[in-house]
Amino acid sequence: MADIDGVKEAKSFYTDTPQKTEGFFLKGSNSLDWGMKNRLARIFNPKSGRTVMLAVDHGYFQGPTTGLERIDINILPLVQYADTLMLTRGILRSIVPPSETKPIVLRATGGTSILKELSNEEIAVNIEDSIRLNVCAMAVQVFIGGEYEKQSIINMTQLIDMGTRYGIPTLAVTAVGTDMARDARYFRLATRICAELGAHYIKTYYVEKDFETVASCCPVPIVIAGGKKIPEMEALTMAYNAVQQGASGVDMGRNIFQAECPEAMIQAVGAVVHENEKPEKAFDMYNTIKNEQSKS
Ligand code: R5P
């Protein structure tokens, strides 16, 4: 037994200082459990409250799309500038080194390709594998108004139930059919349904008109997808407008990895998202980094 004679009693109980009870920084997330909050705090930067997710999961239904032919060569060098990497378990295991500590958002649905009806998806990863891969969130595609709307909603609720058991958040990705109107009314409907049914955060698209109404009536954080490749200045403007109008960041793929200089683009997007940099200045930053890169 340890000798306790002579041990000095020097404890500080701080009886005059009440213990701090802090609210959680993310919209609508204060009542979540510790593990869930901790994972979300790795995805969203607690200082800015926002995230730059680098989305490279396109191959799960599109194959090696432009810019993603060689993820080891083209994407791994970008990861250092992202807050989060969104991808499939196949790419994670085969290409991303396990020493990479960036939080992973795992694409957890699949089952269709661009050759067929895309909304006909199912859950494609079981919860044990998500835990094994130490992911910070699971992503599920939800096709509101799509042919397999109900199936995709059930995929989401099942994933939420499984994830909740182990403290893993679910990201609902609102997918829009090619024949459907992409307007604020649609995205208010789609994002709200996902949030009401328990999604912890939601990916949607930016719309020029009334995007702030989409963000304001969704009770959990929203991030925007980049969508099809557009000129760099326009993509930076879109990201800027989205965060100024209430988005908590971006989940951007093609507008980063298909940019003329992806390494410059992801840094410029980061400045817009985390530092409220104006699009013009962010575009200057993009050009400066791009020019430096072309010299080296
Ligand atoms: C669809 O392929 C995925 O959900 C992508 O992660 C998402 O569309 C974001 O990528 P992008 O910015 O290229 O639209």
Side-chain angles (χ1 to χ4, degrees):
M1 205 170 133
D3 181 5
I4 55 166
D5 287 346
V7 172
K8 197 178 156 210
E9 276 276 329
K11 292 180 180 167
S12 298
F13 293 103
Y14 298 103
T15 52
D16 297 338
T17 314
Q19 181 178 314
K20 272 191 198 158
T21 305
E22 288 171 3
F24 190 59
F25 68 98
L26 268 187
K27 179 180 178 181
S29 312
N30 201 40
S31 300
L32 300 176
D33 193 25
W34 196 94
M36 193 79 91
K37 283 181 177 159
N38 183 259
R39 287 186 172 90
L40 287 168
R42 293 187 57 210
I43 295 169
F44 292 88
N45 180 328
K47 280 197 196 124
S48 65
R50 295 179 185 155
T51 186
V52 175
M53 296 177 58
L54 177 59
V56 296
D57 59 323
H58 306 58
Y60 93 97
F61 70 102
Q62 283 186 258
T65 195
T66 307
L68 295 184
E69 299 89 341
R70 286 291 300 268
I71 290 182
D72 56 334
I73 295 171
N74 297 322
I75 300 299
L76 290 187
L78 307 180
V79 176
Q80 60 185 309
Y81 305 112
D83 296 300
T84 309
L85 192 55
M86 181 191 185
L87 76 185
T88 59
R89 64 176 163 181
I91 294 297
L92 184 60
R93 278 205 172 94
S94 57
I95 291 178
V96 180
S99 53
E100 179 55 68
T101 55
K102 285 278 154 128
I104 298 298
V105 174
L106 187 70
R107 157 66 55 193
T109 51
T112 53
S113 77
I114 40 170
L115 307 177
K116 296 259 179 148
E117 167 55 43
L118 284 177
S119 66
N120 191 12
E121 280 195 340
E122 298 207 6
I123 294 176
V125 175
N126 68 28
I127 189 68
E128 286 77 17
D129 213 26
S130 301
I131 296 167
R132 210 175 282 128
L133 289 166
N134 200 25
V135 306
C136 275
M138 298 179 291
V140 50
Q141 206 93 342
V142 182
F143 296 82
I144 300 299
E147 195 175 332
Y148 292 86
E149 175 188 78
K150 184 178 171 192
Q151 175 62 40
S152 72
I153 291 176
I154 289 172
N155 292 341
M156 177 184 74
T157 54
Q158 288 181 341
L159 215 52
I160 292 166
D161 284 336
M162 289 188 287
T164 300
R165 224 175 284 148
Y166 301 101
I168 301 180
T170 295
L171 164 65
V173 176
T174 60
V176 200
T178 42
D179 52 339
M180 287 160 60
R182 288 179 179 225
D183 57 16
R185 190 170 182 212
Y186 174 79
F187 289 119
R188 281 195 300 266
L189 174 77
T191 56
R192 185 61 176 259
I193 289 173
C194 295
E196 297 261 355
L197 291 173
H200 299 98
Y201 73 111
I202 296 166
K203 174 158 83 164
T204 186
Y205 287 89
Y206 180 72
V207 284
E208 293 282 339
K209 194 167 174 304
D210 297 336
F211 178 80
E212 65 278 11
T213 66
V214 180
S216 77
C217 63
C218 180
V220 294
I222 278 185
V223 293
I224 61 147
K228 281 192 186 131
K229 172 77 178 76
I230 50 178
E232 283 78 2
M233 177 61 191
E234 285 175 34
L236 292 168
T237 304
M238 176 173 70
Y240 179 81
N241 290 340
V243 294
Q244 298 305 317
Q245 291 166 27
S248 301
V250 299
D251 184 15
M252 199 174 261
R254 288 162 287 178
N255 277 293
I256 291 174
F257 61 71
Q258 292 178 354
E260 202 183 324
C261 181
E263 214 159 324
M265 189 61 181
I266 192 166
Q267 292 178 71
V269 170
V272 164
V273 168
H274 291 301
E275 290 151 37
N276 294 307
E277 194 67 274
K278 293 261 166 44
E280 298 75 17
K281 284 192 88 175
F283 189 52
D284 286 347
M285 178 183 176
Y286 169 78
N287 282 321
T288 307
I289 301 171
K290 188 178 90 169
N291 294 337
E292 278 164 13
Q293 283 233 332
S294 63
K295 282 185 216 146
S296 61

